[in-house]
């Protein structure tokens, strides 16, 4: 059996190079373009079964690559980004709590991160968009953490046009400009729509890139996170006007924001093709967490049919939109249900570019999934500690097909929230598979793919990637962890977390609890910090959010 498997792998590799002979079977270190959407809902892309917001470029990327239907992140932005760059669970970094806010001293702890590993491998490294991992000191900022160049913003959000980020701190309003080129505020870019601006910069990086050097670029969009109070959602009016079938004006603007995000991916794909880089490039697209449909900073996104929202450990908060595309994938155009966690991307991509895993931090939690992705082999990951928060006493673990939730977040306010389909605000729309082939990603993927997909193939993959809740007649045992109950779900059979099985499988509950206790041993208490707005006030730095500690040189006011 082992010999047969080896011959199958060898045969697959031979076929792979044969299929791609016309594009000069890839040589050298692959380029990596990692795209992160912010607060994008499960139901806000077409390939998960929604007709509300056309996403032809994202759908084409997913259908021609691998749809990762069991991809998990953290429930907040800062912990997710920390997990992505370090390959470690945030509870091992002291970042398992809420996201970092301005004037906080918290930051990503010292230690090598993804950008530095890639830089050591000879890569040109770029971060476009959101950082959100602390900026109290210059050493906490991207260009001091392995990125050759940074064009983006430090905080959790900023305005989509004027790049002013407003925060209420200690009952007082503070405003500051938050857009930088490397370390210098980029005042001249104010007035340009953020999603377009970041896409244009990414395209410019690609156009100017020396193809003899491999490229690692992370594009961490502001979209579709809300902006400042009073203008939560922003999009060009001509794009908003395309969504007149959506009656709710907020959801309509949100749809336009998703559409601009989709356009940006098409623009990056076109730039990679024009530069003849696509044949040796890996493109990953994920959301950092689920959508906050309701509650503070809600963006009118939809996680339907999943239960929960951002800041919960239910599926709607931590099970995210994700896909990977590359000509290097032998077994693509499929839906993977294997468990994959956001920490896995560091070792997975490091292996993909020829890195030696032995040089990575030995305390890494991420698991190398590259062979599993390339050849459709079983994943080595069997469980995911979704979080352990010692302050809220909230924890969850995905263990094979089981999921256990203990305690609650946000006082349990959204534990009973099930993603609304929002159909009452939508005129009936048909899914346009032709638009997928006609999109920039669709047209280019069709040229590269040795066996181009048909619209029937799109429909088939979409059906597999669409989640369904329990049948209306199925028995349900409701569970709310806010009541002190421990909730156990069989996720493949019950992705909407409607039927608690804890009382029927007590041995499973005990086993998962023991596993949580084992993970708890490695927990680092949350980083304690105070708000230092007196020294971090933007008015001290030409009204820009700026590092404020160790500011003895002129760079602090640049």
């Amino acid at each position: 059996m082992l010999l047969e498997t080896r011959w199958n792998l060898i045969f697959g590799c031979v076929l792979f190079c044969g299929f791609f002979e016309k594009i000069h079977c890839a040589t050298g270190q692959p380029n990596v373009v990692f795209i992160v959407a912010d607060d994008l809902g499960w139901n806000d892309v077409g390939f998960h079964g929604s007709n509300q917001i056309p996403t032809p470029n994202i759908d084409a990327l997913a259908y021609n690559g691998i749809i990762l239907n069991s991809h998990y992140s953290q429930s907040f932005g800062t912990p997710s980004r920390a997990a992505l760059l370090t390959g470690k669970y945030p509870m091992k970094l002291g970042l398992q709590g809420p996201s970092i806010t301005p004037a906080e001293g918290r930051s990503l702890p010292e230690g090598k991160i993804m950008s530095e590993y890639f830089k050591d491998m000879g890569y040109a490294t770029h971060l476009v968009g959101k950082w959100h991992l602390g900026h109290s000191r210059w050493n906490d900022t991207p260009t001091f953490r392995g990125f050759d160049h940074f064009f983006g913003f430090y905080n959790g959000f900023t305005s989509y046009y004027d790049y002013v980020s407003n925060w209420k701190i200690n009952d007082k309003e503070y405003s500051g400009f938050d857009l930088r080129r490397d370390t210098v505020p980029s005042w001249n870019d104010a007035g340009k729509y953020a999603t377009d601006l970041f896409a244009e910069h990414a395209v410019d990086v690609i156009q100017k890139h020396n193809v003899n050097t491999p490229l690692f670029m992370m594009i961490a969009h502001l979209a579709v996170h809300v902006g400042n109070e009073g203008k939560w959602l922003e999009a060009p009016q001509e794009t908003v006007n395309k969504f007149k079938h959506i009656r709710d004006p907020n959801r309509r603007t949100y749809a336009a924001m998703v559409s601009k995000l989709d356009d940006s991916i098409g623009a990056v794909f076109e730039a990679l093709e024009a530069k003849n880089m696509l044949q040796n490039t890996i493109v990953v697209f994920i959301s950092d967490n689920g959508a906050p449909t309701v509650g503070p900073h809600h963006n009118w996104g939809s996680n339907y049919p999943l239960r929960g929202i951002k800041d919960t450990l239910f599926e709607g908060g931590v099970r995210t939109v994700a896909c990977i595309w590359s000509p290097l994938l032998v077994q693509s155009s499929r839906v993977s249900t294997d468990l994959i966690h956001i920490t896995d991307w560091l070792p997975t991509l490091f292996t993909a570019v020829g890195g030696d895993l032995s040089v990575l931090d030995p305390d890494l939690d991420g698991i190398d999934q590259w062979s599993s992705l390339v050849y459709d082999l079983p994943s080595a990951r069997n469980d995911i500690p979704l979080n352990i928060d010692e302050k809220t006493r909230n924890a969850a673990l995905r263990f094979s097909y089981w999921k256990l939730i203990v305690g609650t977040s946000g006082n349990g306010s959204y534990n009973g929230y099930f993603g609304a389909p929002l159909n009452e605000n939508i005129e009936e729309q048909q899914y346009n598979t032709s638009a997928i082939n006609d999109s920039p990603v669709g047209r280019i993927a069709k040229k590269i793919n040795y066996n181009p997909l048909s619209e029937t193939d799109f429909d088939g993959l979409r059906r597999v990637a669409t989640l369904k809740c329990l049948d209306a007649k199925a028995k349900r045992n409701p569970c709310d962890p806010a009541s002190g109950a421990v909730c156990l779900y069989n996720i493949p059979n019950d992705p909407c977390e409607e039927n608690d099985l804890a009382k029927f499988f007590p041995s499973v509950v005990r086993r998962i609890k023991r596993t949580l206790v084992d993970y708890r041993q490695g927990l680092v208490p949350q980083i304690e910090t105070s708000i230092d707005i007196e020294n971090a006030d933007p008015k001290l730095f030409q009204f820009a959010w700026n590092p404020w500690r160790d500011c003895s040189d002129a760079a602090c006011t640049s």
Side-chain angles (χ1 to χ4, degrees), residues 215-248:
L215 172 68
F216 171 72
M217 179 163 58
M218 182 173 294
I219 308 171
H221 276 285
L222 168 60
V224 283
H225 198 291
V226 295
N228 295 312
E229 186 174 359
K231 49 179 180 179
W232 293 118
L233 305 176
E234 296 183 276
Q237 190 59 47
E238 62 269 23
T239 309
V240 177
N241 292 341
K242 296 177 182 178
F243 294 92
K244 293 180 180 178
H245 62 281
I246 301 177
R247 298 187 183 96
D248 183 294

Side-chain angles (χ1 to χ4, degrees), residues 21 32 78 92 120 171 197 223 305 314 322 413 451-452 475:
E21 184 178 355
V32 176
T78 291
K92 287 189 174 181
D120 286 350
D171 297 322
L197 181 63
F314 290 103
S413 304
N451 186 18
K475 187 175 180 181

Side-chain angles (χ1 to χ4, degrees), residues 286-313:
I286 69 169
S287 180
D288 64 340
N289 43 247
T293 313
V294 293
H297 293 95
H298 65 287
N299 67 355
W300 287 267
S302 171
N303 300 314
Y304 182 82
L306 299 176
R307 181 179 181 180
I309 60 173
K310 175 181 178 178
D311 185 30
T312 74
L313 295 180

Side-chain angles (χ1 to χ4, degrees), residues 408-519:
T408 192
S409 57
N411 298 317
S413 304
Y414 308 110
N415 287 351
Y417 183 85
F418 286 84
L422 305 176
N423 286 336
E424 67 274 12
N425 291 313
I426 307 288
E427 293 179 8
E428 186 63 29
Q429 300 290 303
Q430 294 295 316
Y431 187 58
N432 188 351
T433 50
S434 297
I436 298 169
N437 268 330
D438 294 338
S439 69
V441 174
R443 291 196 308 269
I444 295 166
K446 202 170 185 178
K447 287 194 297 183
I448 292 176
N449 196 340
Y450 71 92
N451 186 18
L453 300 179
S454 68
E455 293 181 22
T456 302
D457 293 327
F458 296 157
D459 283 329
L461 288 165
R462 189 178 191 235
R463 281 193 297 272
V464 176
T466 300
L467 298 178
K468 291 181 174 58
C469 296
L470 294 174
D471 182 86
K473 296 180 180 178
K475 187 175 180 181
R476 289 166 171 78
N477 294 294
C479 181
D480 183 359
S483 67
V486 173
C487 307
L488 179 70
Y489 301 101
N490 182 316
I491 295 299
N493 293 338
D494 180 23
C496 305
E497 297 168 298
E498 299 176 281
N499 188 31
D500 173 36
L501 299 173
K503 65 182 178 182
F504 301 107
F505 295 93
S507 61
V508 174
V509 172
R510 287 194 297 271
R511 182 179 180 185
I512 298 178
K513 277 187 170 181
R514 286 197 299 269
T515 304
L516 274 173
V517 169
D518 290 341
Y519 276 118

